[in-house]
Amino acid sequence: MTQTEDTPEPEDALEAPSPPTPAEGAELELFVRHMHRRDLNKVWEFLKLVFRTVNKQTVEYQRPRLKKSFLEIFEEDGVEQLVFETRRGKRRELIGYAEYAYEIVGADSWINHRYFDDRDMRPLFVQELAVHPDYHGFGVGSFMLEQVEHAARLRGCTHVVLEVAENNEDALTFYRKRSFQKIDAAVFLARKLERGPELLGPRIIKPRRHKRPG
Ligand SMILES: CC(C)(COP(=O)(O)OP(=O)(O)OC[C@H]1O[C@@H](n2cnc3c(N)ncnc32)[C@H](O)[C@@H]1OP(=O)(O)O)[C@@H](O)C(=O)NCCC(=O)NCCS
């Protein structure tokens, strides 16, 4: 779900228009379709909006950092990109986006396929699940996950695999409640450094070999 690039992207201008929040208890009609090329700009703006808050809490970016990377994903074989919409008058409004792949895609992917092969797992990798912030808690994310799992079953997948930052508490709660379990974790560790003079003082060290454990 995370992608890193060298050049930082400015937190810039245009955003996806904010759809009106549904009234309490109102029904919400959801439509799902494959993303088209003409949706690319709109979905990119949408992702910036959705992940703005999330990215303030996490060490890794939770979406492609650069538009270029996002545009490249569209050209990748084996990546499915779905948009979820609701009706607004005669128009349809974008309120959700899901992206997943049946294979490990991208030349620089650091997912280790052996982990899954050795365990006879046929995973579907969810790269993004994003709901418009005004629509959180209305069941849109649950429907999107149901759609993704449906697609996975149709393709003979045995597992849905995704990465979520531990600091992204809402999403983590969402997945845990839906029976997702931790299979591995990259833990970010940090230690606050004390300030001192640039050069260390003289030191007497006792030459010794560090024994390797085992
Ligand atoms: C995680 C996410 C996809 C969930 O989507 P959603 O549409 O809010 O999901 P649902 O409405 O189906 O379920 C949300 C749960 O939170 C509860 N909830 C209630 N009010 C809520 C609120 N204001 N905001 C969020 N969740 C709320 C819901 O009742 C529901 O509880 P349940 O687990 O008992 O069913 C969505 O929050 C999101 O897009 N987050 C930002 C992007 C992100 O972090 N994506 C995941 C990592 S890729």
Side-chain angles (χ1 to χ4, degrees):
M1 231 169 277
T2 314
Q3 208 163 334
T4 48
E5 300 260 358
D6 291 328
T7 331
E9 172 223 332
E11 281 297 333
D12 44 303
L14 286 170
E15 285 180 358
S18 185
T21 312
E24 192 70 34
E27 284 183 346
L28 197 60
E29 194 178 8
L30 297 174
F31 302 90
V32 54
R33 64 174 174 83
H34 288 277
M35 190 179 83
H36 302 306
R37 188 178 294 279
R38 64 170 183 274
D39 299 314
L40 278 168
N41 284 332
K42 193 167 60 173
V43 172
W44 171 250
E45 296 303 326
F46 174 80
L47 286 177
K48 279 201 301 190
L49 174 75
V50 173
F51 284 100
R52 179 153 301 166
T53 319
V54 176
N55 282 336
K56 283 184 184 144
Q57 295 154 351
T58 59
V59 177
E60 284 182 293
Y61 281 98
Q62 298 297 299
R63 62 164 173 86
R65 258 176 96 198
L66 295 177
K67 188 169 181 181
K68 181 172 161 284
S69 316
F70 178 67
L71 299 180
E72 282 168 7
I73 291 167
F74 186 72
E75 307 300 337
E76 290 265 13
D77 286 336
V79 180
E80 300 286 346
Q81 294 171 288
L82 302 179
V83 292
F84 294 77
E85 297 166 314
T86 189
R87 222 190 278 277
R88 186 183 187 183
K90 286 187 179 162
R91 290 179 34 231
R92 286 190 185 180
E93 200 79 57
L94 173 66
I95 57 168
Y97 169 76
E99 183 185 305
Y100 53 91
Y102 299 103
E103 301 288 337
I104 296 167
V105 287
D108 62 347
S109 168
W110 31 275
I111 289 187
N112 174 11
H113 66 84
R114 283 211 191 118
Y115 177 91
F116 303 102
D117 294 347
D118 291 349
R119 290 161 181 79
D120 282 333
M121 291 167 78
R122 290 198 58 200
L124 172 142
F125 298 98
V126 179
Q127 278 146 208
E128 307 282 358
L129 212 61
V131 175
H132 191 288
D134 291 351
Y135 282 80
H136 287 180
F138 286 96
V140 180
S142 302
F143 176 67
M144 288 166 59
L145 192 58
E146 192 182 326
Q147 167 64 68
V148 170
E149 290 180 350
H150 177 66
R153 270 187 223 101
L154 285 181
R155 283 288 286 256
C157 296
T158 59
H159 291 77
V160 171
V161 176
L162 54 87
E163 184 199 335
V164 59
E166 221 157 30
N167 292 355
N168 187 357
E169 286 176 15
D170 284 350
L172 197 58
T173 307
F174 172 83
Y175 291 124
R176 286 232 166 98
K177 192 141 187 212
R178 284 153 183 81
S179 304
F180 280 77
Q181 288 170 11
K182 199 172 186 172
I183 54 172
D184 192 9
V187 180
F188 287 90
L189 302 177
R191 185 163 83 88
K192 186 159 171 26
L193 298 173
E194 303 303 329
R195 298 186 77 172
E198 183 195 352
L199 299 181
L200 301 178
R203 171 135 357 137
I204 296 170
I205 56 166
K206 216 172 169 181
R208 66 190 153 115
R209 281 240 162 85
H210 288 279
K211 274 195 184 151
R212 287 181 192 203

